[in-house]
Amino acid sequence: MNPLPVSLPFTDRSEAGRRLAERVRTLDLRNEPIVLALPRGGVPVAAELARRLRIPLDVLMVRKIGLPGHAELGVGAIAEDGQVAFDDVALARLHVSRDALMATVDQERAELDRRLRAYRGSRGAPRLADRDVIVVDDGVATGGTARSALRMVRRAHPARLVLAVPVGSQSAMEALRPEVDDLVVLTAPENFHAVGEWYRDFAQLTDADVTALLTELREAETGGEAERAVRIRAGDVYLDGDLATPANVRGAVVVALGHGRHDPRHRSVAARTRRSGLATLLIDLFTAEEWNRVNGGGEEVTAMTLGERLEEVVGWLRRATELGDARVGLFGSGAGAPAALVAAAGRPDDVAAVAAHGGRIDLAEERLPGVRAPTLVLVQGDDSFLRELAEWAMSRMGAPHELCVVPGAEQLLGEPGGWQEVRDAVAEWFDRHL
């Protein structure tokens, strides 16, 4: 096991996954390796492994069986192959029989089946026999669910079984070590109490989050796409991004964000856009240090500054990639929304279309008359204040523009239906104008 010292807490699950990928990369995986994520929290971690190691990703469904009336207290687990494992030691200590848990088992089996349909659709389970299988979660506290998952995989006779997690309790890691051929854990703190304590952002995920990530990676796997991490100098800072290029490119879209290029919703917009033959560059306009400072109540970075950085990003895309002659669109979300308009005004010969949502585009006020590219603005249906600001800002533009009202456009962590509408509207806009 031998976990190495790491900087804690992790920023979020995606950062943990990137760091975990570097450790897993050192393993000699030769037999059709596949990553299996334990939903929901394990999926963003596993997605980073799959993306960086360029191996397939699927889910491994296991449901915890909780004590009736105390669901958080796990006394067993059920795996997607139907096998139920009980913690008989815990049951004896609690004076609870297996028969008393049958109703709970039935409920968890129904939920497991529902999630399988949501995550896999009509696809069957992946073949695991004679393959190197990497099981991934965002952390392990007691190890009960992970043990059931590992034993299910072992029953399928893999060539090699690996458990990879960013963080876990020392007792759970030692208990799980005999279950696997290799155990990769970044840290097993002595003062471990709960997985969420070791992440700054440990937001709960929805089924929509999981399916968006899985869909993105499957489309990349089957569509001949090439993706690489990039670092772009913009003034006196360096910005991190991910550039993905489909096999047949007819244009490019820069997805400009304050922070959050690994968010499943932003990546789903990019994946949907690439289906139209458009390369995508997801870029965080804040540095990690600036983002932490702003979240802590520190000094804001202005929309003008972010927009000027985005101008540098567009210049880099033209100068340093194979997309130099491609028509470029800008999709700005959140703090990236006004920045996209600032950049469009600053590079009118390079930017052919703009879409903005979830931010205050009026903050680009002084640059709005210089916008020449057709612009789509998406606003939340029940926020009249933002709509009025958007309408005022659009009246200042020197470009054709459209306003699209969608449900929940501001609420990126909820309203999956509204988010899907945003994604489709943005993709259609760039398909039309690029």
Side-chain angles (χ1 to χ4, degrees), residues 268-283:
S268 74
V269 171
R272 172 67 179 81
T273 302
R274 289 195 297 273
R275 284 161 54 187
S276 299
L278 300 171
T280 58
L281 171 60
L282 288 100
I283 194 80

Side-chain angles (χ1 to χ4, degrees), residues 164-175:
V165 294
V167 62
S169 68
Q170 293 183 358
S171 59
M173 293 298 96
E174 291 302 325

